[in-house]
Amino acid sequence: MIVEMITRFSRLLVIALALIIFIVPMSAQAAPTNEAPIYPNFVPNNNPEFSISGTSSISASPVMHVGDVLYSSKTFGGSTQIVGHVGIVGPDYLIYHVTPGANGGIGDTLETYMNRHGAGETIQVYKYKNASGENAAAWAKYNYSYAKSYGIEFAKLSVMDPNYCSKFLWQAFFYGEGYDMTGKSLNPSTTTIIYPSSFTGSVYFYYQGSFTV
């Protein structure tokens, strides 16, 4: 009887040790699912032109924030008629954008987004002045799949498909934040083309800094 109890206790002890060795480390190493990535080689803008509530609008923090707009002067993922590309950081820290590389809308991790660019390419970070941009980011996350194909057309800004990067972000800020980011009183019925460079010169955005691929 005593021998049987010792044997049973030994088996339970072995099982308990196995759980400690294998299960605990696995749970401890599990990465957070909603943690902000770090911009690599981030260079902040040390000469801010804008301020919000009397304080500097520029932060040296390289942490990615929801609503950040990423601008690159070169195209990637296929030839386009517009030189430049823009994407927005979503509430889940994926980069939402419309690209010929995906033939429509897609949500990329920062690593995947960077890999779509050439090595050494500079990506600039712009922030929305009026608010955090979180509403635009949420709109982009829940609507990117409606851009089922990539195409630059002289069409109404309300058209979701086909779509292209800068028009998609215009829609995100118009429908999500309630602003025409160009400052030109455009609306969904306006027939025009939105350029990626419109974000770099917009009165609603300020340059935060840049990082290299």
Side-chain angles (χ1 to χ4, degrees):
M1 182 62 122
I2 295 176
V3 173
E4 183 180 348
M5 290 179 63
I6 293 174
T7 302
R8 185 176 302 174
F9 177 78
S10 298
R11 290 176 180 174
L12 291 174
L13 182 61
V14 170
I15 294 173
L17 288 174
L19 290 173
I20 293 173
I21 293 172
F22 294 105
I23 296 179
V24 172
M26 288 176 62
S27 62
Q29 294 175 4
T33 58
N34 212 25
E35 183 178 348
I38 302 296
Y39 286 127
N41 305 315
F42 183 84
V43 179
N45 176 19
N46 295 319
N47 299 297
E49 299 178 1
F50 302 104
S51 62
I52 298 178
S53 301
T55 61
S56 173
S57 61
I58 301 301
S59 169
S61 172
V63 177
M64 178 183 291
H65 294 98
V66 175
D68 284 359
V69 170
L70 307 184
Y71 169 83
S72 52
S73 60
K74 297 180 182 180
T75 57
F76 62 88
S79 61
T80 68
Q81 297 174 359
I82 295 178
V83 177
H85 189 78
V86 286
I88 186 171
V89 179
D92 50 5
Y93 297 109
L94 294 181
I95 314 300
Y96 290 96
H97 59 126
V98 175
T99 170
N103 193 31
I106 194 170
D108 283 333
T109 63
L110 179 60
E111 181 180 5
T112 300
Y113 188 80
M114 290 172 60
N115 287 338
R116 293 182 185 273
H117 293 74
E121 187 172 343
T122 298
I123 299 177
Q124 299 175 350
V125 182
Y126 286 83
K127 289 191 175 292
Y128 187 49
K129 289 177 62 179
N130 288 9
S132 65
E134 292 182 357
N135 290 331
W139 188 94
K141 175 184 177 180
Y142 291 109
N143 291 280
Y144 78 94
S145 60
Y146 291 104
K148 300 181 184 299
S149 60
Y150 179 91
I152 301 173
E153 295 183 352
F154 194 71
K156 290 182 179 181
L157 294 178
S158 60
V159 175
M160 282 296 297
D161 185 61
N163 215 326
Y164 53 95
C165 66
S166 44
K167 179 181 177 181
F168 176 69
L169 259 63
W170 181 92
Q171 293 168 335
F173 281 94
F174 186 87
Y175 294 118
E177 303 289 347
Y179 284 92
D180 162 32
M181 48 70 54
T182 68
K184 298 178 180 179
S185 299
L186 304 182
N187 62 67
S189 296
T190 303
T191 299
T192 188
I193 290 178
I194 304 295
Y195 295 91
S197 58
S198 297
F199 286 86
T200 65
S202 172
V203 296
Y204 295 111
F205 292 86
Y206 61 83
Y207 172 60
Q208 178 79 356
S210 65
F211 63 97
T212 55
V213 176

